[in-house]
Amino acid sequence: MAELAPRYNPHEVEKKWYELWESKGFFTPKIDSKKKPYVIVIPPPNVTGILHMGHALNNTIQDILIRWHRMKGEPTLWVPGTDHAGIATQNVVEKKLAKEGKTRQQLGREKFIEEVWKWKEEHGSTITHQLRRLGASCDWTRERFTMDEGLSKAVREAFTKLHKKGLIYQGNYIINWCPRCQTALSDEEAPYTETEGKLYYYYYLVKDSKTGKLTKEGAPLIATTRPETMLGDIAIAVNPKDERYKGIEKKEIYLPLQNRPLHVIKDDFVDPEFGTGVVKVTPAHDPNDFEMAIRHNLEQRNILYPDARINENGKPYEGLDRFEARKRIIEDLKKEGLFDKEISHKHTVPHCYRCHTVVEPYLSKQWFVKMRPLAERALKAHAEGKVKITPERWNKVYTNWLEGIRDWCISRQIWWGHPIPIEGDKDVLDTWFSSWLWPFSTLGWPQKTKELQYFYPTSDLVTAPEILFFWVARMIMAGLEFMGEVPFKNVLIHGTVRAQSGLKMSKSLGNAIDPLEVIDEIGADALRQSLIMLAAQDVYLSKEKFEVGKNFTNKIWNAARFVFMNLQDFKKGTLDPDFDFRKLAPVHRWILSRLEEVTHTVEESLGRFALSQAATELYHFVWGKFCDWYIELVKPALTGADKEAKLQTQKVLFFVLERTLRLLHPYMPFITEEIWQKLREIAKDKKKWPQTLMFASWPFDQKKHYQDSESEESFRVLEQAVDGIRELRANLGIPPGQRLKAVIRPKSDHVAKALDVFEKEIAQLTRLESLEFKKDFQRSKSWLGTAHSDLEVFIQVEGVIDPEKEKARIERKIQECEKYLDSIRKKLENPSFVANAPEELVAEEQGKLLNLESLLKTHQEHLSLFSQ
């Protein structure tokens, strides 16, 4: 006879079932031309990566969708793989070499790339093994790597096609340059961060027409946040409408410290309100100045080496780091009497997304993709509803970015990556150039494979908001360009995982929780359920919040143990219902009606990507309706002498548990498989059961077979009655085991009828000595009660408690509470305390205040029982 162990062991169960699922090929779909497939491509994690909470959330969501559609009988494919992560991986291997006293330059390009491949073979599968521990049901037979042979061929094909169409070009332009990584970055790889900086004011020089000497008298005062870039100045500029500088173009202006002559130009771009209204023009180190220089046919002067030291054009500061040069230039301007002032100035500064170094706008020869033609097709597809983004608010963010799109710098000055397929070019392509081909290159493109024809376009994409532009938008453009179709129909953007404080959870901030540690402690199912229940928007995490999933896992296990213990003599378990619904007792009709209702709610919620809502509904059904109510109510039938009532109860218990496991499986695949297989062992129609719960049919039926509004209404009345009596016990401090006399006063005949249906159950659940239903009940002083929407509940307290003593006790509690509250309020109303006490102490006192206010309200409600 099947039975469950006293305690659930997640580690044993998870290892057993995942190995079986994968070894049996259960994750690999068969191509079936008669069925429409469901396909997701994984956002490929970096090959350097290890599983973090963001991965855990993202992949749990994907796995829920995949398992749901698999149970619907659809050929379901989840394509896994990893990204070669050019800059990140090169940095990791360079650090490894540094520990060995070597550099990549010493090894040379070819040997260094060999080292990276070696590292990848040794460590590159770490994260995919960790995804298995999470329960991710990817088709590992189709695992891809963005630099494998097939994807490398796809990259070369895409580059060649775009180059032939004139959509890839090379040119000298201002790009984002990381001096630490010494490579170009795309705009998306150089995010702006608000920084507390300085605005420096200093004078340029003007040539005195009489003496020929350079002087600051009559010279323009200029403000800049980057005074070191003055060494690359070619001109100064003013707005042509700015009357303050009428005739300035007639002056001969010189650059201080180098005494070079500068052009004087007028341009509408100049903001008269910024600084003094005169701006320096540095075409090689500012994108706006670069555009101005083109308009006015000015030369460009690069003053930086690739590592951001000043080069020979910046003499006498050659060799200095850019920030050291800034200090020296300010000192020298002060010595020359040309420095005016510096003021605090908040501004946004680009940083390298990988190493967080301040990025330099830098004139460089790079390869670019013309994005405007591609973006126009993507905007048209979006307007036609071919791609839907959820939540809705992200649609505007997406279209705004496409409308303002700039050309994409795709060349990188590193060694690890796809070589640019032009003879003699030593640069490699941006990592994202391979990633944007992911939905179709992983299926065999540019070959017209049967997998590509069947599985493309894919169905849904699940991603974090930070790669909406990096990856999602570019994949849509690539799909339209190379396949003629959008790569997916829906994009689900989930929230960000944050610490309880609200800060984004990250290793660098020291606030990260390791998902593998959580899995080691409580199991993957508990982690998954906890995350998803919190994931309606951003996920605010603390270790304590995983208790929800842990406790729920234990609740499911204990409920299943109870069922098995009461099926010892049961030989009639079936997948399909083996009972006449209308002939069932009201309590059975109620649980089946509730099960059907939650099934419809879960189906509807999953259909609109409300995964958190579906998880919460399931949680409340299992914990509240099935365990706390139904199981408690049917215990007498299972132990009583009525064999027919017992058999009826066993059939419904078996049926509800099996259907509930199917509903839970996408969320909690391991524990549900373990319990379901035990049910399968005792089923009389075992041959009808699939090998695994993964292939059991999803239990949704558009037609409602078990909807029973009458039993639902009766049970709602039962809940009010039971909760009312339990609440009175708790408020009056009456022990749970003490037998009581109770009267329920229904507010209508309809409610009275419902109470009659469940009279025995109400008495059973509340441990009553006697129970009466009286519409005309008149309360005396020996009875206390509470009112509810459909009824009033009364218990006899004479001989149970002394009402006067209890009233006095509660009044003392209220006085104590009010006294303590008064002292805390005075403390928090004291400006000196709030201003000088440590922040955590103030927060602690505020917490005490809230708790005491809540406690006072509870005491006052208890006291009100005695004034009825």
Side-chain angles (χ1 to χ4, degrees):
M1 183 64 192
E3 60 181 36
L4 297 180
R7 295 187 65 184
Y8 178 56
N9 184 337
H11 310 108
E12 183 183 294
V13 168
E14 289 167 8
K15 186 174 187 296
K16 174 179 72 176
W17 288 117
Y18 199 92
E19 287 177 356
L20 182 134
W21 293 333
E22 187 174 1
S23 65
K24 293 280 188 181
F26 291 162
F27 303 151
T28 303
K30 291 181 174 62
I31 292 175
D32 185 345
S33 59
K34 294 176 184 175
K35 292 182 177 180
K36 186 179 179 182
Y38 178 80
V39 186
I40 291 180
V41 292
I42 200 170
N46 287 354
V47 73
T48 58
I50 58 172
L51 196 74
H52 56 62
M53 277 300 174
H55 291 133
L57 174 63
N58 178 266
N59 287 281
T60 295
I61 292 170
Q62 291 178 83
D63 196 46
I64 289 167
L65 294 172
I66 284 288
R67 289 178 182 273
W68 174 45
H69 282 274
R70 190 184 284 126
M71 292 177 80
K72 282 170 165 262
E74 300 166 20
T76 302
L77 173 62
W78 186 8
V79 181
T82 50
D83 193 292
H84 67 277
I87 295 173
T89 307
Q90 178 159 314
N91 284 346
V92 167
V93 178
E94 283 195 80
K95 286 175 183 175
K96 174 181 175 288
L97 290 173
K99 289 177 182 176
E100 300 167 7
K102 301 173 188 174
T103 67
R104 67 180 166 100
Q105 289 79 9
Q106 289 171 341
L107 260 66
R109 189 176 191 124
E110 192 175 326
K111 288 285 185 186
F112 176 75
I113 291 172
E114 284 178 13
E115 282 291 316
V116 182
W117 276 109
K118 184 180 172 185
W119 183 92
K120 188 263 176 188
E121 294 308 312
E122 290 176 5
H123 305 284
S125 60
T126 298
I127 195 160
T128 56
H129 287 300
Q130 292 170 340
L131 286 171
R132 287 171 167 90
R133 289 203 61 196
L134 184 69
S137 57
C138 304
D139 182 0
W140 298 108
T141 67
R142 287 186 170 92
E143 184 178 351
R144 303 304 299 267
F145 177 55
T146 52
M147 278 182 65
D148 68 29
E149 188 178 340
L151 269 64
S152 296
K153 185 175 181 180
V155 165
R156 292 192 295 272
E157 180 77 8
F159 185 97
T160 303
K161 282 179 175 287
L162 292 174
H163 193 261
K164 283 181 179 176
K165 286 182 73 171
L167 291 176
I168 285 183
Y169 64 95
Q170 192 179 32
N172 280 305
Y173 290 90
I174 290 280
I175 49 91
N176 302 298
W177 181 264
C178 175
R180 157 64 183 79
C181 301
Q182 293 201 23
T183 183
L185 301 171
S186 69
D187 289 342
E188 293 74 30
E189 292 170 322
Y192 280 78
T193 305
E194 188 170 76
T195 305
E196 192 66 55
K198 297 285 179 66
L199 196 57
Y200 303 93
Y201 288 77
Y202 56 89
Y203 288 95
Y204 277 52
L205 297 170
V206 65
K207 182 184 274 190
D208 188 301
S209 57
K210 293 179 181 177
T211 65
K213 290 182 179 179
L214 300 181
T215 176
K216 78 170 185 180
E217 299 303 321
L221 181 67
I222 284 179
T224 181
T225 58
R226 299 158 66 216
E228 68 278 9
T229 61
M230 69 182 287
L231 303 171
D233 285 2
I234 298 300
I236 63 166
V238 297
N239 190 295
K241 297 182 182 124
D242 194 336
E243 290 294 323
R244 293 174 296 172
Y245 299 107
K246 194 172 183 180
I248 193 173
E249 69 276 9
K250 296 173 184 174
K251 293 184 178 182
E252 292 183 61
I253 306 296
Y254 282 75
L255 179 74
L257 307 181
Q258 286 189 334
N259 295 344
R260 279 191 294 108
L262 300 174
H263 300 280
V264 180
I265 62 173
K266 294 187 174 182
D267 196 285
D268 288 327
F269 174 78
V270 179
D271 179 6
E273 301 298 318
F274 178 77
T276 63
V278 185
V279 299
K280 58 199 283 302
V281 181
T282 318
H285 298 283
D286 184 281
N288 297 317
D289 293 3
F290 178 79
E291 298 296 334
M292 257 199 286
I294 291 173
R295 289 196 291 274
H296 295 273
N297 198 27
L298 302 176
E299 68 272 27
Q300 291 124 7
R301 182 183 178 89
N302 180 13
I303 61 154
L304 293 175
Y305 290 123
D307 62 359
R309 288 180 302 116
I310 305 297
N311 67 18
E312 67 279 3
N313 288 331
K315 290 178 180 177
Y317 306 98
E318 184 179 3
L320 292 179
D321 171 77
R322 54 185 165 162
F323 299 124
E324 182 59 32
R326 179 181 297 179
K327 292 177 189 173
R328 288 274 298 275
I329 286 168
I330 291 169
E331 287 171 7
D332 291 346
L333 286 169
K334 287 178 179 177
K335 287 176 187 174
E336 297 286 333
L338 298 174
F339 191 80
D340 182 62
K341 63 182 176 182
E342 64 182 61
I343 61 172
S344 294
H345 176 67
K346 272 189 180 176
H347 60 140
T348 54
V349 177
H351 289 73
C352 175
Y353 80 111
R354 181 53 57 186
C355 68
H356 310 297
T357 301
V358 173
V359 165
E360 279 293 329
Y362 194 70
L363 184 65
S364 178
K365 193 173 188 179
Q366 302 287 343
W367 289 95
F368 296 85
V369 177
K370 285 182 184 175
M371 299 301 283
R372 174 56 51 197
L374 302 176
E376 285 171 355
R377 290 181 68 185
L379 281 165
K380 184 173 183 288
H382 186 268
E384 292 170 353
K386 291 181 177 176
V387 178
K388 183 184 176 187
I389 302 175
T390 303
E392 172 62 31
R393 66 180 182 275
W394 289 105
N395 285 278
K396 190 63 179 172
V397 177
Y398 167 73
T399 55
N400 283 349
W401 183 78
L402 286 175
E403 287 163 357
I405 202 164
R406 293 173 59 183
D407 287 354
W408 175 18
C409 177
I410 56 168
S411 45
R412 298 290 180 270
Q413 290 65 51
I414 56 175
W415 291 355
W416 172 245
H418 292 281
I420 288 179
I422 299 289
E423 301 295 2
D425 198 301
K426 293 183 178 179
D427 289 350
V428 300
L429 287 163
D430 178 11
T431 293
W432 299 98
F433 194 88
S434 51
S435 303
W436 78 325
L437 311 174
W438 188 251
F440 47 91
S441 63
T442 53
L443 297 172
W445 186 87
Q447 271 73 44
K448 292 181 179 177
T449 63
K450 60 183 181 180
E451 285 82 6
L452 184 63
Q453 290 174 332
Y454 184 65
F455 291 118
Y456 188 90
T458 69
S459 308
D460 299 331
L461 183 81
V462 180
T463 187
E466 54 263 30
I467 55 174
L468 178 60
F469 311 134
F470 274 127
W471 191 48
V472 180
R474 288 175 182 162
M475 281 193 291
I476 293 169
M477 290 185 266
L480 289 165
E481 176 65 22
F482 300 114
M483 295 294 296
E485 289 182 88
V486 294
F488 28 74
K489 300 171 190 67
N490 297 294
V491 178
L492 172 60
I493 298 177
H494 57 72
T496 300
V497 178
R498 301 185 182 279
Q500 192 63 39
S501 65
L503 288 173
K504 184 176 179 180
M505 191 170 276
S506 80
K507 198 172 180 180
S508 61
L509 291 174
N511 62 3
I513 300 172
D514 185 345
L516 294 169
E517 286 183 8
V518 177
I519 291 173
D520 286 339
E521 289 171 16
I522 62 174
D525 287 332
L527 169 81
R528 289 165 62 120
Q529 181 70 12
S530 300
L531 276 177
I532 292 298
M533 283 185 69
L534 292 167
Q537 296 180 16
D538 282 358
V539 179
Y540 292 84
L541 274 187
S542 63
K543 272 284 185 78
E544 294 72 30
K545 290 192 175 179
F546 291 103
E547 291 294 310
V548 173
K550 176 187 172 184
N551 294 339
F552 189 46
T553 305
N554 291 334
K555 190 77 169 178
I556 293 167
W557 187 258
N558 291 333
R561 283 195 75 232
F562 171 83
V563 173
F564 281 108
M565 286 163 58
N566 286 280
L567 295 179
Q568 295 293 326
D569 57 345
F570 182 63
K571 308 292 183 187
K572 297 191 176 185
T574 59
L575 270 181
D576 300 317
D578 185 25
F579 45 74
D580 183 339
F581 177 69
R582 286 295 148 197
K583 291 182 179 179
L584 292 176
V587 68
H588 301 319
R589 295 204 306 272
W590 169 76
I591 194 63
L592 289 167
S593 185
R594 283 285 84 217
L595 174 64
E596 189 166 71
E597 187 60 35
V598 81
T599 302
H600 277 251
T601 301
V602 169
E603 172 72 14
E604 185 273 334
S605 298
L606 288 174
R608 57 184 174 86
F609 298 119
L611 278 70
S612 181
Q613 181 182 336
T616 303
E617 290 287 341
L618 279 170
Y619 174 89
H620 289 304
F621 170 77
V622 172
W623 193 296
K625 306 304 180 189
F626 184 60
C627 295
D628 287 356
W629 286 103
Y630 181 70
I631 284 179
E632 291 303 314
L633 284 166
V634 299
K635 281 179 179 177
L638 291 167
T639 55
D642 189 334
K643 290 184 179 180
E644 183 57 36
K646 180 178 180 180
L647 180 61
Q648 191 182 74
T649 302
Q650 287 176 319
K651 285 181 177 181
V652 176
L653 267 175
F654 186 98
F655 180 81
V656 173
L657 178 60
E658 194 276 332
R659 289 292 173 100
T660 301
L661 292 172
R662 285 196 239 174
L663 290 172
L664 285 168
H665 179 72
Y667 289 89
M668 307 175 81
F670 296 109
I671 190 171
T672 53
E673 183 77 83
E674 179 73 6
I675 298 169
W676 188 86
Q677 291 288 349
K678 298 289 186 184
L679 283 176
R680 186 173 181 264
E681 285 179 28
I682 62 172
K684 74 172 184 180
D685 58 347
K686 197 180 299 183
K687 289 182 180 178
K688 290 176 66 177
W689 293 49
Q691 281 182 276
T692 169
L693 178 53
M694 287 170 55
F695 297 148
S697 63
W698 182 246
F700 172 74
D701 189 337
Q702 196 69 46
K703 186 179 177 183
K704 292 191 174 182
H705 300 278
Y706 305 125
Q707 192 171 32
D708 189 335
S709 56
E710 186 180 334
S711 68
E712 293 261 9
E713 178 60 27
S714 296
F715 209 88
R716 193 172 65 80
V717 171
L718 164 99
E719 287 178 303
Q720 285 182 46
V722 172
D723 288 343
I725 294 168
R726 286 174 173 172
E727 184 183 317
L728 281 168
R729 271 188 186 273
N731 291 348
L732 296 170
I734 301 171
Q738 184 162 353
R739 298 284 171 177
L740 298 173
K741 293 179 179 178
V743 171
I744 297 175
R745 183 161 64 194
K747 294 184 179 179
S748 68
D749 292 339
H750 178 72
V751 173
K753 185 180 177 183
L755 286 169
D756 287 336
V757 171
F758 285 117
E759 179 179 0
K760 186 173 65 175
E761 287 81 359
I762 294 169
Q764 169 202 329
L765 290 175
T766 54
R767 299 186 179 183
L768 297 178
E769 181 183 318
S770 68
L771 173 63
E772 294 180 273
F773 305 139
K774 292 183 177 180
K775 282 184 71 176
D776 56 353
F777 178 70
Q778 297 297 314
R779 185 182 76 86
S780 66
K781 285 188 176 181
S782 61
W783 293 80
L784 294 179
T786 58
H788 300 268
S789 58
D790 295 305
L791 49 82
E792 291 171 278
V793 175
F794 303 93
I795 62 170
Q796 190 176 45
V797 294
E798 188 177 11
V800 177
I801 63 168
D802 184 325
E804 292 304 318
K805 282 185 179 178
E806 184 64 18
K807 183 179 177 183
R809 185 185 70 82
I810 296 171
E811 285 173 340
R812 285 196 301 273
K813 291 282 186 185
I814 289 173
Q815 288 170 0
E816 289 170 11
C817 219
E818 287 175 336
K819 186 179 177 182
Y820 198 10
L821 264 172
D822 187 54
S823 68
I824 291 177
R825 284 193 184 115
K826 283 178 180 175
K827 190 183 288 186
L828 289 171
E829 287 167 3
N830 182 347
S832 177
F833 171 76
V834 175
N836 300 316
E839 201 173 302
E840 58 271 22
L841 181 58
V842 175
E844 185 183 330
E845 293 298 311
Q846 289 170 333
K848 285 180 187 176
L849 181 71
L850 290 174
N851 289 336
L852 280 166
E853 286 174 340
S854 175
L855 183 60
L856 178 62
K857 186 180 177 185
T858 302
H859 288 326
Q860 288 168 339
E861 286 171 356
H862 293 177
L863 187 64
S864 68
L865 293 172
F866 297 92
S867 58
Q868 295 172 352

